[in-house]
Amino acid sequence: MKKPLLFSICLGLIGSCAGPVARAAPDDRSRNPKAIVHSLEIRYHSATTLKATFLERYSEGHHDLRMESGTAYFRRPGRMRWEYESPEQKLFLADGKTVWFYVPADHTVSRAPMKESTDWRTPLALLTGKARLSRLCGRIELVSPAPGAAGTPSGHVLLRCLPPGEPAVRAGSRSDALAAGERSAAFQEVLLEVEESRSELIRVLIRQATGVEIEYRFGNWQQNLTLPEALFHFQAPRGVAIVDDASIGGPGR
């Protein structure tokens, strides 16, 4: 079954693409978004394992095309497992080198090198200690909801990640520069809602220039659980075909 595109931000998420856009928060200029980001990264990079429930929303234009929910697991370094439970069972798994996407009803598994995957769950590698927001974002700023938008709950802050500019191409680094350019073109902005007192990631909203929105909401965070290594390794069931596909999780999937 085809599915839409998250995570190459680490990593949690409502509204339509045409809804009000967040704007810089003039009353919060004295606050340092870098300090908030630093606390957020320390919170998640210090944990060996993480577990959370999630709600994923995919929309295009004015239409919500899909909402799904399940449980996500993260383990340092670079491992994650997304178990989709509703409306159908699916599995997205990253073992640190390869990402796998398996829909039992399709009897097919897609795989791709983690560094080549265009799926936004792989940037949620922030949650596995493999990425920093400063490497994904050209600029990070504190924002407030636009007039008419639903307010951010008390104690929550909203950060906006803007894509970097065109990468400088040095001798011998053309492929790296092209890859960076592709990543920056993958989103128009990313909004991160953080519960500031606990430095807890509540929501991630990815807006693309094509009008696509991908949103993740996280809840029931637990950390430093005993999670077996086998949980983050994929073994294809008997009779299931394996297809190499770098567009895992891309638009329309």
Side-chain angles (χ1 to χ4, degrees):
M1 174 178 293
K2 294 292 184 180
K3 66 173 289 293
L5 160 74
L6 133 338
F7 167 22
S8 274
I9 244 176
C10 23
L11 313 127
L13 316 168
I14 294 192
S16 75
C17 240
V21 176
R23 57 192 174 90
D27 296 332
D28 291 326
R29 287 173 183 167
S30 61
R31 304 175 71 184
N32 186 354
K34 290 185 178 180
I36 298 173
V37 169
H38 182 64
S39 296
L40 180 69
E41 291 179 335
I42 287 178
R43 157 92 155 96
Y44 289 102
H45 288 184
S46 64
T48 303
T49 62
L50 293 160
K51 176 184 178 181
T53 57
F54 71 89
L55 173 68
E56 176 184 330
R57 177 184 64 85
Y58 175 88
S59 66
E60 190 169 353
H62 295 278
H63 306 288
D64 284 346
L65 301 183
R66 189 183 74 251
M67 293 190 70
E68 301 175 291
S69 61
T71 303
Y73 303 85
F74 306 89
R75 179 171 178 164
R76 292 169 57 90
R79 296 165 175 82
M80 67 185 78
R81 180 186 181 95
W82 297 70
E83 296 181 352
Y84 288 78
E85 299 153 5
S86 177
E88 71 172 322
Q89 291 187 340
K90 295 189 291 189
L91 175 66
F92 178 90
L93 187 146
D95 61 17
K97 295 181 179 180
T98 304
V99 295
W100 305 81
F101 180 62
Y102 174 47
V103 182
D106 288 354
H107 305 291
T108 301
V109 176
S110 298
R111 69 180 175 188
M114 194 166 176
K115 63 181 180 180
E116 296 179 10
S117 173
T118 59
D119 193 290
W120 267 94
R121 277 163 300 218
T122 48
L124 289 177
L126 160 75
L127 301 177
T128 65
K130 291 285 286 186
R132 292 185 179 276
L133 285 175
S134 59
R135 297 186 63 184
L136 176 74
C137 309
R139 186 168 81 253
I140 301 174
E141 58 190 25
L142 200 63
V143 301
S144 62
T152 302
S154 176
H156 291 208
V157 294
L158 197 63
L159 299 171
R160 175 200 278 149
C161 160
L162 297 173
E166 288 297 320
V169 180
R170 302 184 304 275
S173 64
R174 178 173 175 78
S175 61
D176 292 341
L178 288 174
E182 289 174 359
R183 286 195 297 271
S184 68
F187 67 94
Q188 188 174 41
E189 68 173 2
V190 177
L191 301 178
L192 301 99
E193 184 177 335
V194 179
E195 202 290 314
E196 192 171 12
S197 67
R198 298 195 299 261
S199 297
E200 187 167 282
L201 186 62
I202 302 299
R203 182 171 68 104
V204 176
L205 173 61
I206 302 104
R207 287 190 171 123
Q208 298 179 324
T210 57
V212 168
E213 282 192 358
I214 306 125
E215 185 178 48
Y216 298 86
R217 289 187 176 271
F218 294 107
N220 303 317
W221 281 107
Q222 300 176 62
Q223 64 185 62
N224 296 326
L225 303 174
T226 301
L227 300 178
E229 177 68 22
L231 190 68
F232 302 96
H233 290 275
F234 184 79
Q235 183 67 44
R238 184 185 298 273
V240 170
I242 298 178
V243 178
D244 292 317
D245 184 2
S247 65
I248 288 176
R253 292 188 62 84

